Amino acid sequence: MSLSPILSAIADGEFHSGEELARLLGVSRTAVWKQLQKIQVQTGLSIESVKGRGYRLAEPLELLDQEVVATALAEPIRQLVTGFEIHEEVDSTNRIALQRAQDGNGRGHIIVAERQTAGRGRRGRQWVSPFGRNIYFSALWEFDGGAAALEGLSLAVGVAVASALKDVGVAGIGLKWPNDVVWDGRKLAGILLEMVGDAAGRCQVVIGIGINVAMARNELTAAIDQPWVDVATAAGSSVSRNRLLAALLTHLLPLLQRFEREGFASTHAEWSALDCFLGREVSVHLGETLILGRAAGVTSTGALLVDTPQGCRQFHGGEVSLRLAL
Ligand code: BTN
């Protein structure tokens, strides 16, 4: 028995008797009890058991649901989705998507998961990915023209994420070069692009997006080494993950099509309008070297511009890190 049927049955946060669950799932009451124990261990969810009433989740849970997402999509967007996988648990949705690329899947193949055990962040960091609380999303897309054609793609994706968040009620989103999505100076979402194929020709790109939706403060999230925030806090109310997922697809997939034709130039103005470091004193860290200056926006290919005492300098992604100067 997979976790889904029993989890779906108790997701509403109401009491369900062992007998009812056993009947529903066609198993014994002992099997129900064992399954619920397993769920607690695997997901970290807390399930209450009250004599005479049954079992309930300590907090109701909205599971990701392909039908709900599909229903929320306009037909032209639905047609851009060529495959849609929802997993209860994976190591990393990006890793699965890279594997799908190697297995011959192409643009528009989507992988999402309720939980990641080895979520990948930028600079080798781990992306903390508790069960059922956030969005862990990877989309596969193909581009001609190799790595050069992808310049600015991760910035453009930030614009799509910001638009999706705005659609579900988050106001005041900013982008921090190259692609952190921030709210009130804290990180709300992260983007990690990974590529396979010909670095000079046709390549497949995995666009990995993690959005904190309703993160609990616990020992897992205490390990995150930068200020973070979630959508529930930023929107001031709880937000449906399925709705957010639909909004993400609605903005991301057409943006990828447009990027193929026009590159970053087509989203340059939108990115600049969200640039939360523009005009601020910053430090740019290039390995051991530190450069101080004033952030001056980005170029039409997505390079960072910084006014320094030695003149205006450009920085490209990779190992550059940008911070506000203290
Ligand atoms: C960052 O460090 O800012 C990038 C984080 C990207 C996390 C997402 S979650 C879905 C996808 N799968 C992964 O393993 N990583 C990305």
Side-chain angles (χ1 to χ4, degrees):
M1 178 164 51
S2 88
L3 293 181
S4 292
I6 197 161
L7 248 186
S8 308
I10 61 166
D12 58 8
E14 303 292 329
F15 275 111
H16 297 270
S17 71
E19 202 180 340
E20 173 202 335
L21 293 172
R23 207 176 38 243
L24 194 74
L25 303 166
V27 296
S28 70
R29 281 164 61 179
T30 314
V32 165
W33 180 80
K34 280 191 187 152
Q35 193 61 30
L36 291 171
Q37 298 295 313
K38 193 169 150 203
I39 286 175
Q40 294 208 80
V41 173
Q42 288 190 349
T43 64
L45 293 171
S46 160
I47 299 168
E48 296 168 359
S49 153
V50 175
K51 216 169 169 11
R53 300 193 73 184
Y55 305 97
R56 76 167 175 191
L57 275 178
E59 281 177 64
L61 178 72
E62 183 207 18
L63 291 167
L64 296 173
D65 186 322
Q66 182 165 357
E67 264 181 50
V68 175
V69 175
T71 308
L73 295 178
E75 189 52 31
I77 305 295
R78 213 175 297 151
Q79 282 181 11
L80 294 174
V81 178
T82 57
F84 193 89
E85 301 180 32
I86 297 183
H87 296 266
E88 274 168 8
E89 180 182 298
V90 294
D91 51 357
S92 151
T93 56
N94 265 26
R95 192 196 63 77
I96 304 271
L98 285 166
Q99 196 177 52
R100 296 292 182 268
Q102 261 143 6
D103 295 344
N105 292 284
R107 66 181 54 197
H109 194 91
I110 310 296
I111 316 274
V112 289
E114 293 287 6
R115 171 174 186 245
Q116 296 186 118
T117 53
R120 301 176 184 172
R122 291 178 63 226
R123 299 169 194 286
R125 280 184 166 131
Q126 205 204 331
W127 188 257
V128 172
S129 309
F131 187 93
R133 298 197 152 266
N134 301 322
I135 298 275
Y136 316 117
F137 168 101
S138 297
L140 196 55
W141 206 261
E142 290 160 333
F143 293 91
D144 286 320
L150 303 180
E151 238 193 312
L153 176 60
S154 72
L155 279 79
V157 170
V159 170
V161 176
S163 305
L165 288 165
K166 195 169 162 216
D167 275 7
V168 298
V170 183
I173 294 162
L175 294 175
K176 172 185 171 283
W177 186 89
N179 56 13
D180 281 353
V181 181
V182 297
W183 184 85
D184 187 30
R186 292 174 279 166
K187 188 153 164 171
L188 186 56
I191 295 161
L192 179 70
L193 302 192
E194 298 188 68
M195 194 191 115
V196 279
D198 183 352
R202 188 164 185 72
C203 57
Q204 288 178 302
V205 179
V206 168
I207 296 123
I209 300 171
I211 307 178
N212 301 331
V213 182
M215 284 260 263
R217 297 206 173 254
N218 54 28
E219 63 285 1
L220 198 65
T221 50
I224 302 175
D225 62 356
Q226 50 190 331
W228 60 269
V229 68
D230 62 13
V231 175
T233 307
S237 63
S238 70
V239 164
S240 154
R241 290 188 303 144
N242 287 305
R243 199 176 141 223
L244 177 54
L245 198 48
L248 186 59
L249 289 165
T250 298
H251 289 282
L252 180 69
L253 300 181
L255 175 133
L256 294 173
Q257 283 187 311
R258 202 168 78 197
F259 190 93
E260 260 186 293
R261 294 191 306 268
E262 301 165 38
F264 177 66
S266 61
T267 20
H268 187 189
E270 284 171 88
W271 200 93
S272 302
L274 296 166
D275 183 353
C276 57
F277 275 19
L278 184 67
R280 313 235 357 224
E281 296 297 326
V282 293
S283 59
V284 178
H285 301 248
L286 259 175
E288 296 291 290
T289 314
L290 181 72
I291 297 136
L292 294 171
R294 188 182 293 273
V298 297
T299 67
S300 60
T301 57
L304 171 71
L305 292 169
V306 179
D307 285 329
T308 73
Q310 290 75 42
C312 186
R313 291 191 56 178
Q314 278 191 25
F315 299 94
H316 300 265
E319 284 314 293
V320 184
S321 119
L322 172 70
R323 299 180 204 161
L324 282 179
L326 296 173

